[in-house]
Amino acid sequence: MARLKVIAGNWKMFKTNSEALQLANQIKMKTTDIKNTKMIICPPATALAVVNEVIKDSVVSLGAQNFYWEQEGAYTGDLSAGMIKSSGATYVIIGHSERRQYFGETDETVNKKINTALENGLNPIVCVGESLEERESNITDKIVSKQISGALKGFNAAAAAKLIIAYEPIWAIGTGKTATPEQAQEVHKMIRDLIRNLYDDDVADNIIIQYGGSVKPENADILLGQEDVDGALVGGACLKADSFSEIIHIAESL
Ligand code: 13P
């Protein structure tokens, strides 16, 4: 079954507003010929509104990297889903391993955030992935299954169908060390089978499962060519318009 390829760029904590404006403009200009690949860029929250002005009339969609699950309140320094939405975002990354590692996020907080995102009409990109130690102990499937089941707890098929899952092995993030296409395919298939078990064929066959972890123009072809790899969540290589648009064009050509 042919699923749409979805390429998202996670800018992480990079780009001031003027830099973001420039990068968004370049990405928009370099992707005007793209027809069959969904593109999402996720700048830091401070640049969401600025980037939205640039891409609002294009086919590039806007995503945020995080938010807090309460609707509003005394939560100094944090942002609500409604605020993210009002800046123009239609997607939001939830449970990135860096948030789990440095900011104490858990499967439980991921679950709460998915709920709030859906209530506010934001499409969640839910990140899962094992550490090097977990992979070496042969517990990748167990860890990733637990993360997925925890994230999806209490959601029906209609809700689950709105998610994008991003499989990002922690040992491949920012390390230049990519999962082999076989390793990626194996986990992606396992995730799809799990979704089939939890829901039904329709959700499983249509859900987008992205791979993330040192995706670059040099390896995008082989990774995106795997049957169950429906796109990429790109970190480092999305900070330059040339490499990001190259990855998008590779996706488009497959
Ligand atoms: P890198 O592409 O820099 O490895 O980052 C991947 C990532 O964490 C995307 O969310």
PDB file of all heavy atoms in Angstrom, residues 8 10 12 93 96-98 127 168 172-176 212-215 233-238, ligand 1:
ATOM      1  N   ALA A   8       9.776  15.725   8.017  1.00  0.00           N
ATOM      2  CA  ALA A   8       9.680  16.822   8.984  1.00  0.00           C
ATOM      3  C   ALA A   8      11.073  17.236   9.427  1.00  0.00           C
ATOM      4  O   ALA A   8      11.971  16.398   9.556  1.00  0.00           O
ATOM      5  CB  ALA A   8       8.837  16.386  10.184  1.00  0.00           C
ATOM      6  N   ASN A  10      13.129  18.960  12.464  1.00  0.00           N
ATOM      7  CA  ASN A  10      13.121  19.400  13.856  1.00  0.00           C
ATOM      8  C   ASN A  10      14.330  20.305  14.057  1.00  0.00           C
ATOM      9  O   ASN A  10      15.448  19.834  14.114  1.00  0.00           O
ATOM     10  CB  ASN A  10      13.195  18.156  14.767  1.00  0.00           C
ATOM     11  CG  ASN A  10      13.336  18.509  16.234  1.00  0.00           C
ATOM     12  OD1 ASN A  10      13.249  19.681  16.617  1.00  0.00           O
ATOM     13  ND2 ASN A  10      13.557  17.500  17.067  1.00  0.00           N
ATOM     14  N   LYS A  12      15.177  21.903  16.590  1.00  0.00           N
ATOM     15  CA  LYS A  12      15.682  21.866  17.978  1.00  0.00           C
ATOM     16  C   LYS A  12      15.945  23.298  18.474  1.00  0.00           C
ATOM     17  O   LYS A  12      15.208  24.210  18.102  1.00  0.00           O
ATOM     18  CB  LYS A  12      16.912  20.967  18.066  1.00  0.00           C
ATOM     19  CG  LYS A  12      16.612  19.557  17.505  1.00  0.00           C
ATOM     20  CD  LYS A  12      17.643  18.531  17.838  1.00  0.00           C
ATOM     21  CE  LYS A  12      17.210  17.177  17.248  1.00  0.00           C
ATOM     22  NZ  LYS A  12      18.138  16.101  17.546  1.00  0.00           N
ATOM     23  N   ILE A  93       5.595  18.073  17.880  1.00  0.00           N
ATOM     24  CA  ILE A  93       6.415  16.919  18.266  1.00  0.00           C
ATOM     25  C   ILE A  93       6.152  16.641  19.746  1.00  0.00           C
ATOM     26  O   ILE A  93       6.144  17.566  20.559  1.00  0.00           O
ATOM     27  CB  ILE A  93       7.918  17.209  18.041  1.00  0.00           C
ATOM     28  CG1 ILE A  93       8.197  17.500  16.556  1.00  0.00           C
ATOM     29  CG2 ILE A  93       8.782  16.049  18.536  1.00  0.00           C
ATOM     30  CD1 ILE A  93       9.617  17.987  16.265  1.00  0.00           C
ATOM     31  N   HIS A  96       9.950  13.736  22.329  1.00  0.00           N
ATOM     32  CA  HIS A  96      11.282  13.549  21.734  1.00  0.00           C
ATOM     33  C   HIS A  96      12.236  13.026  22.816  1.00  0.00           C
ATOM     34  O   HIS A  96      12.123  13.407  23.988  1.00  0.00           O
ATOM     35  CB  HIS A  96      11.786  14.877  21.167  1.00  0.00           C
ATOM     36  CG  HIS A  96      13.010  14.721  20.323  1.00  0.00           C
ATOM     37  ND1 HIS A  96      14.265  14.571  20.868  1.00  0.00           N
ATOM     38  CD2 HIS A  96      13.163  14.637  18.982  1.00  0.00           C
ATOM     39  CE1 HIS A  96      15.137  14.421  19.876  1.00  0.00           C
ATOM     40  NE2 HIS A  96      14.489  14.453  18.721  1.00  0.00           N
ATOM     41  N   SER A  97      13.187  12.207  22.424  1.00  0.00           N
ATOM     42  CA  SER A  97      14.082  11.601  23.434  1.00  0.00           C
ATOM     43  C   SER A  97      14.854  12.664  24.209  1.00  0.00           C
ATOM     44  O   SER A  97      15.203  12.459  25.368  1.00  0.00           O
ATOM     45  CB  SER A  97      15.049  10.613  22.786  1.00  0.00           C
ATOM     46  OG  SER A  97      15.865  11.273  21.858  1.00  0.00           O
ATOM     47  N   GLU A  98      15.099  13.825  23.573  1.00  0.00           N
ATOM     48  CA  GLU A  98      15.802  14.892  24.313  1.00  0.00           C
ATOM     49  C   GLU A  98      14.899  15.470  25.405  1.00  0.00           C
ATOM     50  O   GLU A  98      15.380  15.869  26.465  1.00  0.00           O
ATOM     51  CB  GLU A  98      16.277  15.975  23.325  1.00  0.00           C
ATOM     52  CG  GLU A  98      17.456  15.461  22.498  1.00  0.00           C
ATOM     53  CD  GLU A  98      17.557  16.038  21.089  1.00  0.00           C
ATOM     54  OE1 GLU A  98      16.900  17.053  20.790  1.00  0.00           O
ATOM     55  OE2 GLU A  98      18.306  15.444  20.277  1.00  0.00           O
ATOM     56  N   CYS A 127       7.380  10.648  19.354  1.00  0.00           N
ATOM     57  CA  CYS A 127       8.700  10.032  19.207  1.00  0.00           C
ATOM     58  C   CYS A 127       8.914   8.880  20.187  1.00  0.00           C
ATOM     59  O   CYS A 127       8.584   8.984  21.374  1.00  0.00           O
ATOM     60  CB  CYS A 127       9.794  11.057  19.452  1.00  0.00           C
ATOM     61  SG  CYS A 127       9.693  12.482  18.379  1.00  0.00           S
ATOM     62  N   GLU A 168      12.949   6.958  16.564  1.00  0.00           N
ATOM     63  CA  GLU A 168      14.271   7.570  16.599  1.00  0.00           C
ATOM     64  C   GLU A 168      15.149   6.845  17.611  1.00  0.00           C
ATOM     65  O   GLU A 168      15.088   7.132  18.806  1.00  0.00           O
ATOM     66  CB  GLU A 168      14.161   9.044  17.013  1.00  0.00           C
ATOM     67  CG  GLU A 168      13.305   9.892  16.112  1.00  0.00           C
ATOM     68  CD  GLU A 168      13.659  11.382  16.216  1.00  0.00           C
ATOM     69  OE1 GLU A 168      13.609  11.933  17.330  1.00  0.00           O
ATOM     70  OE2 GLU A 168      14.029  11.952  15.202  1.00  0.00           O
ATOM     71  N   ALA A 172      21.309   6.909  17.480  1.00  0.00           N
ATOM     72  CA  ALA A 172      21.511   7.398  16.108  1.00  0.00           C
ATOM     73  C   ALA A 172      21.274   8.898  16.002  1.00  0.00           C
ATOM     74  O   ALA A 172      21.497   9.488  14.953  1.00  0.00           O
ATOM     75  CB  ALA A 172      20.584   6.657  15.156  1.00  0.00           C
ATOM     76  N   ILE A 173      20.830   9.515  17.092  1.00  0.00           N
ATOM     77  CA  ILE A 173      20.494  10.948  17.035  1.00  0.00           C
ATOM     78  C   ILE A 173      21.748  11.800  17.219  1.00  0.00           C
ATOM     79  O   ILE A 173      22.416  11.712  18.242  1.00  0.00           O
ATOM     80  CB  ILE A 173      19.445  11.320  18.108  1.00  0.00           C
ATOM     81  CG1 ILE A 173      18.130  10.590  17.822  1.00  0.00           C
ATOM     82  CG2 ILE A 173      19.225  12.820  18.150  1.00  0.00           C
ATOM     83  CD1 ILE A 173      17.042  10.843  18.841  1.00  0.00           C
ATOM     84  N   GLY A 174      22.039  12.604  16.222  1.00  0.00           N
ATOM     85  CA  GLY A 174      23.162  13.543  16.301  1.00  0.00           C
ATOM     86  C   GLY A 174      24.517  12.880  16.371  1.00  0.00           C
ATOM     87  O   GLY A 174      25.512  13.537  16.674  1.00  0.00           O
ATOM     88  N   THR A 175      24.582  11.596  16.098  1.00  0.00           N
ATOM     89  CA  THR A 175      25.839  10.863  16.229  1.00  0.00           C
ATOM     90  C   THR A 175      26.488  10.572  14.882  1.00  0.00           C
ATOM     91  O   THR A 175      27.634  10.151  14.826  1.00  0.00           O
ATOM     92  CB  THR A 175      25.591   9.499  16.914  1.00  0.00           C
ATOM     93  OG1 THR A 175      24.610   8.786  16.150  1.00  0.00           O
ATOM     94  CG2 THR A 175      25.085   9.674  18.326  1.00  0.00           C
ATOM     95  N   GLY A 176      25.724  10.758  13.822  1.00  0.00           N
ATOM     96  CA  GLY A 176      26.228  10.402  12.498  1.00  0.00           C
ATOM     97  C   GLY A 176      26.106   8.906  12.248  1.00  0.00           C
ATOM     98  O   GLY A 176      26.394   8.406  11.169  1.00  0.00           O
ATOM     99  N   GLY A 212      13.970   8.610  12.386  1.00  0.00           N
ATOM    100  CA  GLY A 212      14.815   9.757  12.717  1.00  0.00           C
ATOM    101  C   GLY A 212      16.120   9.301  13.333  1.00  0.00           C
ATOM    102  O   GLY A 212      16.156   8.307  14.070  1.00  0.00           O
ATOM    103  N   GLY A 213      17.179  10.021  13.054  1.00  0.00           N
ATOM    104  CA  GLY A 213      18.507   9.679  13.594  1.00  0.00           C
ATOM    105  C   GLY A 213      19.531   9.726  12.482  1.00  0.00           C
ATOM    106  O   GLY A 213      19.662   8.775  11.719  1.00  0.00           O
ATOM    107  N   SER A 214      20.210  10.894  12.376  1.00  0.00           N
ATOM    108  CA  SER A 214      21.273  11.091  11.377  1.00  0.00           C
ATOM    109  C   SER A 214      20.821  10.842   9.939  1.00  0.00           C
ATOM    110  O   SER A 214      21.582  10.326   9.131  1.00  0.00           O
ATOM    111  CB  SER A 214      22.494  10.232  11.727  1.00  0.00           C
ATOM    112  OG  SER A 214      23.013  10.600  12.990  1.00  0.00           O
ATOM    113  N   VAL A 215      19.578  11.230   9.640  1.00  0.00           N
ATOM    114  CA  VAL A 215      19.133  11.142   8.236  1.00  0.00           C
ATOM    115  C   VAL A 215      19.794  12.286   7.469  1.00  0.00           C
ATOM    116  O   VAL A 215      19.792  13.433   7.911  1.00  0.00           O
ATOM    117  CB  VAL A 215      17.591  11.258   8.121  1.00  0.00           C
ATOM    118  CG1 VAL A 215      17.172  11.288   6.654  1.00  0.00           C
ATOM    119  CG2 VAL A 215      16.917  10.112   8.848  1.00  0.00           C
ATOM    120  N   LEU A 233      12.164  12.169  10.282  1.00  0.00           N
ATOM    121  CA  LEU A 233      12.213  13.319  11.184  1.00  0.00           C
ATOM    122  C   LEU A 233      13.693  13.689  11.237  1.00  0.00           C
ATOM    123  O   LEU A 233      14.512  12.941  11.769  1.00  0.00           O
ATOM    124  CB  LEU A 233      11.656  12.950  12.569  1.00  0.00           C
ATOM    125  CG  LEU A 233      11.592  14.076  13.600  1.00  0.00           C
ATOM    126  CD1 LEU A 233      10.838  15.296  13.084  1.00  0.00           C
ATOM    127  CD2 LEU A 233      10.921  13.595  14.891  1.00  0.00           C
ATOM    128  N   VAL A 234      13.998  14.819  10.627  1.00  0.00           N
ATOM    129  CA  VAL A 234      15.391  15.192  10.383  1.00  0.00           C
ATOM    130  C   VAL A 234      15.844  16.247  11.387  1.00  0.00           C
ATOM    131  O   VAL A 234      15.122  17.216  11.625  1.00  0.00           O
ATOM    132  CB  VAL A 234      15.535  15.748   8.942  1.00  0.00           C
ATOM    133  CG1 VAL A 234      16.991  16.028   8.613  1.00  0.00           C
ATOM    134  CG2 VAL A 234      14.916  14.794   7.930  1.00  0.00           C
ATOM    135  N   GLY A 235      17.016  16.058  11.976  1.00  0.00           N
ATOM    136  CA  GLY A 235      17.580  17.051  12.899  1.00  0.00           C
ATOM    137  C   GLY A 235      18.627  17.886  12.166  1.00  0.00           C
ATOM    138  O   GLY A 235      18.300  18.775  11.387  1.00  0.00           O
ATOM    139  N   GLY A 236      19.879  17.557  12.387  1.00  0.00           N
ATOM    140  CA  GLY A 236      21.001  18.325  11.835  1.00  0.00           C
ATOM    141  C   GLY A 236      20.860  18.729  10.373  1.00  0.00           C
ATOM    142  O   GLY A 236      21.081  19.901  10.016  1.00  0.00           O
ATOM    143  N   ALA A 237      20.477  17.785   9.537  1.00  0.00           N
ATOM    144  CA  ALA A 237      20.425  18.064   8.092  1.00  0.00           C
ATOM    145  C   ALA A 237      19.255  18.952   7.689  1.00  0.00           C
ATOM    146  O   ALA A 237      19.156  19.348   6.527  1.00  0.00           O
ATOM    147  CB  ALA A 237      20.373  16.750   7.308  1.00  0.00           C
ATOM    148  N   CYS A 238      18.379  19.322   8.639  1.00  0.00           N
ATOM    149  CA  CYS A 238      17.268  20.216   8.266  1.00  0.00           C
ATOM    150  C   CYS A 238      17.616  21.670   8.539  1.00  0.00           C
ATOM    151  O   CYS A 238      16.833  22.564   8.259  1.00  0.00           O
ATOM    152  CB  CYS A 238      15.975  19.817   8.982  1.00  0.00           C
ATOM    153  SG  CYS A 238      15.810  20.434  10.654  1.00  0.00           S
TER     154      CYS A 238
HETATM  155  P1  13P B   1      19.722  14.177  13.845  1.00  0.00           P
HETATM  156  O1  13P B   1      19.160  14.115  12.445  1.00  0.00           O
HETATM  157  O2  13P B   1      20.561  15.398  14.067  1.00  0.00           O
HETATM  158  O3  13P B   1      20.382  12.911  14.238  1.00  0.00           O
HETATM  159  O4  13P B   1      18.459  14.374  14.828  1.00  0.00           O
HETATM  160  C1  13P B   1      17.387  13.514  14.717  1.00  0.00           C
HETATM  161  C2  13P B   1      16.312  14.007  15.598  1.00  0.00           C
HETATM  162  O5  13P B   1      16.419  13.961  16.813  1.00  0.00           O
HETATM  163  C3  13P B   1      15.106  14.566  14.969  1.00  0.00           C
HETATM  164  O6  13P B   1      14.090  14.757  15.899  1.00  0.00           O
END
